[in-house]
Amino acid sequence: MASRILANLLVAGGAMLFKAATTAYKQAIINASKTGMTAEGLKQASRVKKNQISLEEAREILGVGESATWEEIEARFKKAFEANEKSGSFYLQSKIYRAHERLEEEFVEDGGGPKEEQQQQQQQDGR
């Protein structure tokens, strides 16, 4: 009997907590739109939720600027990854890989980057 009451209390408490969290999230969205948060800001905020690093952090890790080409990013990635592979830590190697992955994602979204270049190369080879 006591275990049943305790279970009911836990379920009711969990439901209340879930409802409070969803209400707070909805209110945060409303507040963000009122303060003028841009679509890019919302996009970055959703990436943080997915444990992705920011674009600025990715550029900083690989040491490239905003105007860097994909070839420059690839060269920096390979150099840093290989140097760290020999005598570095798994954590640093992971950060380097995630930075490369994030910049690759940005290039693909912008309509360039590795996948676009591969398609162009295949088209040239086919001619």
Side-chain angles (χ1 to χ4, degrees):
M1 183 73 170
S3 61
R4 188 174 191 187
I5 293 171
L6 183 60
N8 285 340
L9 284 174
L10 288 174
V11 169
M16 286 174 38
L17 183 64
F18 181 75
K19 185 176 180 181
T22 55
T23 304
Y25 181 75
K26 288 177 186 176
Q27 189 62 44
I29 297 284
I30 292 168
N31 290 343
S33 64
K34 286 181 182 176
T35 59
M37 188 169 202
T38 63
E40 181 62 28
L42 290 172
K43 191 175 182 182
Q44 283 185 343
S46 70
R47 283 195 181 114
V48 169
K49 193 169 94 175
K50 296 179 189 174
N51 294 329
Q52 285 189 340
I53 62 175
S54 69
L55 195 55
E56 294 78 26
E57 184 181 4
R59 286 188 181 121
E60 188 177 326
I61 289 169
L62 292 179
V64 295
E66 288 185 32
S67 60
T69 64
W70 181 249
E71 290 79 22
E72 293 170 337
I73 292 170
E74 271 297 306
R76 291 286 185 121
F77 166 71
K78 287 179 181 175
K79 182 179 178 184
F81 194 82
E82 289 172 2
N84 194 44
E85 189 173 36
K86 295 174 187 171
S87 62
S89 71
F90 179 75
Y91 174 76
L92 291 176
Q93 200 170 12
S94 175
K95 287 295 249 185
I96 293 166
Y97 182 80
R98 295 295 173 212
H100 177 263
E101 188 177 59
R102 175 67 179 96
L103 291 171
E104 180 179 14
E105 180 183 299
E106 188 67 23
F107 267 83
V108 170
E109 284 178 6
D110 290 344
K115 291 187 173 55
E116 184 70 25
E117 289 176 8
Q118 287 174 357
Q119 291 173 352
Q120 289 175 356
Q121 185 67 26
Q122 289 173 353
Q123 288 175 354
Q124 289 175 356
D125 291 344
R127 290 181 184 171

